[in-house]
Amino acid sequence: MAATSSSLSVFALRLGPGQELLSSLQAFVEEKQLKAPFIITCVGSVTKATLRLANATADNTNQVIQRQERFEIVSLVGTLNPEAHLHICLADKEGRTIGGHVLGDLEVFTTAEVILGEATDLNFTREMDSRTGFPELVIQKRQEQT
């Protein structure tokens, strides 16, 4: 395990009813040309979600659920490089939770208040890892601009 430190920039966004959370965040990252973005925190609600469950493997990626009901976002974490890797935990009207890897289709119900961070000295990419069968995070120091 290698750890790399970096300076931090912080961005605050508020998404409104009907916006799709993942694609909205990816558009913001692209617009701002962020190289090492990640979720610091998020609160809000959605009316539907498409998630890949924890028992999915590289050979069995069809462990996907689609839900269409009102949920509170109780946690959203991950990185937002071009191949975003986000996990979400949602609570239903009874307080029961469901979570998994975000595939998209997260339609905002009332609001999504998102605080993003960017490690300003780093660059996040993804490369296929033969051990896991998935594209995994690669962390690199940014090259100095001359």
Side-chain angles (χ1 to χ4, degrees), residues 127-134 136:
E127 293 179 7
M128 187 58 70
D129 185 320
S130 61
R131 297 171 299 166
T132 67
F134 288 103
E136 303 293 359

Side-chain angles (χ1 to χ4, degrees), residues 20-84:
E20 200 286 317
L21 186 60
L22 177 59
S23 61
S24 295
L25 293 175
Q26 288 174 313
F28 180 83
V29 165
E30 186 175 316
E31 175 190 325
K32 299 294 185 188
Q33 299 181 352
L34 305 181
K35 304 297 183 203
F38 58 94
I39 303 290
I40 295 175
T41 191
C42 174
V43 296
S45 58
V46 295
T47 58
K48 57 184 172 176
T50 301
L51 309 175
R52 187 179 70 219
L53 300 177
N55 61 339
T57 65
D59 296 326
N60 181 20
T61 59
N62 64 348
Q63 298 296 311
V64 173
I65 60 168
Q66 295 177 314
R67 295 289 188 264
Q68 190 159 353
E69 61 184 281
R70 292 181 184 164
F71 291 103
E72 288 290 324
I73 300 168
V74 295
S75 178
L76 179 66
V77 296
T79 56
L80 281 162
N81 51 304
E83 290 183 48

Side-chain angles (χ1 to χ4, degrees), residues 77-122:
V77 296
T79 56
L80 281 162
N81 51 304
E83 290 183 48
H85 186 193
L86 299 180
H87 289 190
I88 197 166
C89 184
L90 302 168
D92 68 12
K93 65 183 179 180
E94 303 295 325
R96 293 177 300 232
T97 58
I98 189 164
H101 176 92
V102 173
L103 294 179
D105 208 21
L106 290 170
E107 185 177 298
V108 174
F109 175 50
T110 58
T111 191
E113 301 164 5
V114 185
I115 309 302
L116 296 179
E118 183 190 27
T120 57
D121 302 321
L122 302 178

